[in-house]
Amino acid sequence: MDAPESREWQRLAFVENRDGMAAALAFALQGVGQYESAIQESDSGGNQYGAAYRESLLASIRVYREYLQESETPA
């Protein structure tokens, strides 16, 4: 696991421990939306934040989606 992915897992664990599972799920959903939006905007020639941090944003999106998927699976 690379550094951006590791940091995102740590952030999710922090939010979940501090505020609960519902807050961590909301955090992950919001992150996916914001990061995908940043990438799309940079692809269309707008704000270049998404272009500059594309790989890191994609790694974060992967972690968030995995976290969301795992939360849907009963233990």
Side-chain angles (χ1 to χ4, degrees):
M1 184 177 324
D2 66 1
E5 290 173 340
S6 179
R7 281 191 301 263
E8 290 303 342
W9 283 113
Q10 291 170 0
R11 289 172 72 187
L12 286 166
F14 173 80
V15 172
E16 185 176 330
N17 288 329
R18 184 189 66 188
D19 301 326
M21 175 66 85
L25 292 171
F27 179 85
L29 281 170
Q30 182 179 6
V32 168
Q34 288 176 329
Y35 294 170
E36 284 181 340
S37 190
I39 291 168
Q40 289 171 354
E41 189 173 339
S42 70
D43 288 347
S44 65
N47 186 326
Q48 291 302 298
Y49 175 84
Y53 296 100
R54 179 182 212 79
E55 292 308 313
S56 179
L57 294 174
L58 289 171
S60 296
I61 290 168
R62 283 191 298 272
V63 169
Y64 291 159
R65 285 188 175 149
E66 185 177 341
Y67 182 82
L68 291 165
Q69 185 176 23
E70 287 176 2
S71 73
E72 294 175 1
T73 307

